[in-house]
Amino acid sequence: MEYDNPWKEALEVYFEAFMQFFFSRIHLEIDWSRGYEFLDKELEKTLRDAELGTRYADKLVKVFLLNGIETWLLIHIEIQNWKDKVFEKRMFVYNYRIFDRYEVEVVSLAVLTDDNKKWCPREYHTERWGCEHIFRFPVIKLLDYKKDWEKLEQDQNPFALVVMAHLKSQEVKDGQERKRWKLRLMRLLFERGYSRQDILELFRFIDWLLELPENIEKQFQDELAEIKEEKKMAYVTSIERLAKKEGIKEMILEYISTRFKSVPEDISSLINSIKTADKLKALFRQAITCESLDDFREVLKTAD
């Protein structure tokens, strides 16, 4: 269960990105405009009495294809460090149980996150006296991504970071080396221009997998604070440059509107009443760092 929780959360939050990253051909055939639905209760009901059990990170998702057909995707996140002799059978059993219960097309997909290079099951096959079952399923082996590390670092898909964090959690055991990689991944996280919410979600995944000893965790937090400040000030500087070209007041109003969805009339009036460039420049920093409109309003009241 060590890795199940973070994988489950990452898959739920970034399901479309997950499909695009690992199963791009399938991603192209899904009508994402119609949304998707996680069917965890249906999966639990169907597999409740299965002798093979169920994995916590397995997901059942209802999607619609571009041709209008409803399809259920059964996604297995297999997290273990040994060869599972019944994995292929489990894939087959899960698939036919769901089909038998709901009579919908079920596509089974597997992501193997173990560290066994030789194990990569792709089909379940039985045959006796001319009666034959052949069940094949697409498989992703995370270890295969190690050879494309530079490509992962350039990939903007959130699951590139998920894969890097998982691989390093398996590979690196030394505390200081783990801290170095954790900070490197955090730098990538800030450099990619993700939203604040995405940064928090992905940081939680990275933090969960790359756990550090208590004494080294304190070092990590201190160095992470420096990175945050460095990235924040670089962001502020870039906005200030743009503001000189576009007009400082207009840029503040546009930024407030984008961040808080609207610009209240009293805030707009207070901004327009400020005449000096230095005060307007200072307001840029406050617009970026204030947690709420009320906080920004209090800053404005003392600005003039």
Side-chain angles (χ1 to χ4, degrees):
M1 295 293 290
E2 181 184 356
Y3 295 140
D4 279 13
N5 272 325
W7 269 98
K8 178 176 180 286
E9 287 195 11
L11 203 157
E12 288 176 350
V13 175
Y14 298 108
F15 175 64
E16 184 177 350
F18 168 88
M19 292 300 298
Q20 184 180 43
F21 187 83
F22 291 120
F23 303 100
S24 57
R25 186 173 68 85
I26 299 175
H27 175 272
L28 290 173
E29 296 188 30
I30 294 175
D31 185 353
W32 295 103
S33 68
R34 298 186 65 176
Y36 51 86
E37 180 183 356
F38 287 104
L39 305 172
D40 291 5
K41 290 184 179 179
E42 284 77 2
L43 182 62
E44 182 182 349
K45 291 175 185 176
T46 306
L47 305 179
R48 183 178 295 155
D49 60 342
E51 293 181 3
L52 296 173
T54 182
R55 301 292 298 212
Y56 186 55
D58 287 352
K59 305 298 292 182
L60 184 62
V61 193
K62 180 171 73 176
V63 298
F64 291 91
L65 306 185
L66 291 173
N67 60 11
I69 295 175
E70 177 185 311
T71 299
W72 290 18
L73 301 179
L74 177 60
I75 300 171
H76 294 259
I77 308 296
E78 190 68 12
I79 301 161
Q80 59 187 36
N81 292 320
W82 62 90
K83 180 180 179 179
D84 183 354
K85 294 180 180 179
V86 299
F87 179 75
E88 300 96 319
K89 180 180 179 182
R90 175 145 46 91
M91 291 288 287
F92 172 65
V93 170
Y94 285 11
N95 186 282
Y96 85 66
R97 276 177 175 256
I98 294 168
F99 173 77
D100 183 55
R101 185 180 181 108
Y102 297 101
E103 294 188 357
V104 295
E105 182 181 29
V106 183
V107 177
S108 293
L109 310 171
V111 178
L112 304 178
T113 63
D114 64 285
D115 60 2
N116 187 333
K117 296 179 180 179
K118 296 181 180 180
W119 183 58
C120 192
R122 296 183 180 278
E123 71 173 43
Y124 176 72
H125 181 207
T126 63
E127 190 275 332
R128 178 75 65 185
W129 299 319
C131 180
E132 186 174 14
H133 281 298
I134 301 176
F135 176 67
R136 298 190 181 96
F137 45 89
V139 174
I140 296 296
K141 186 79 171 182
L142 246 59
L143 282 180
D144 292 341
Y145 288 88
K146 290 184 72 172
K147 62 181 181 293
D148 295 320
W149 190 264
E150 290 185 8
K151 188 176 179 181
L152 283 174
E153 290 190 320
Q154 298 300 318
D155 197 321
Q156 296 295 308
N157 189 300
F159 260 87
L161 277 166
V162 170
V163 171
M164 285 189 283
H166 189 96
L167 291 175
K168 288 303 174 185
S169 73
Q170 291 178 321
E171 176 187 339
V172 181
K173 304 304 179 184
D174 176 74
Q176 288 294 339
E177 184 68 3
R178 269 199 167 209
K179 184 196 73 172
R180 188 176 73 82
W181 275 108
K182 195 170 182 178
L183 287 168
R184 181 168 176 177
L185 292 177
M186 289 308 300
R187 280 190 174 276
L188 283 175
L189 188 56
F190 286 119
E191 289 169 359
R192 291 186 176 189
Y194 293 138
S195 69
R196 183 174 182 272
Q197 186 60 35
D198 284 336
I199 289 175
L200 291 174
E201 293 286 357
L202 290 167
F203 171 68
R204 184 165 55 184
F205 185 90
I206 294 170
D207 191 50
W208 204 327
L209 290 182
L210 290 172
E211 188 176 1
L212 299 172
E214 188 174 342
N215 61 321
I216 299 179
E217 176 66 23
K218 177 62 169 61
Q219 299 172 20
F220 168 77
Q221 292 296 336
D222 291 342
E223 294 180 48
L224 179 61
E226 293 178 8
I227 293 174
K228 287 180 179 178
E229 186 63 23
E230 171 192 323
K231 296 301 178 184
K232 182 175 73 176
M233 296 317 297
Y235 179 52
V236 170
T237 301
S238 67
I239 290 182
E240 286 174 347
R241 288 199 204 101
L242 182 59
K244 289 178 181 178
K245 296 180 181 180
E246 302 295 334
I248 299 177
K249 289 181 182 179
E250 289 78 7
M251 288 299 298
I252 294 175
L253 291 169
E254 179 65 25
Y255 186 81
I256 291 295
S257 176
T258 300
R259 186 177 178 197
F260 299 110
K261 309 304 181 186
S262 66
V263 183
E265 187 174 339
D266 64 319
I267 287 181
S268 177
S269 297
L270 286 168
I271 291 173
N272 285 318
S273 68
I274 297 174
K275 307 299 183 184
T276 62
D278 286 343
K279 288 181 178 179
L280 287 169
K281 185 177 178 181
L283 279 179
F284 260 113
R285 297 176 184 270
Q286 296 296 333
I288 293 168
T289 57
C290 279
E291 293 294 327
S292 68
L293 272 174
D294 287 338
D295 290 344
F296 186 67
R297 185 179 282 109
E298 290 303 313
V299 171
L300 272 172
K301 290 177 180 179
T302 60
D304 197 5

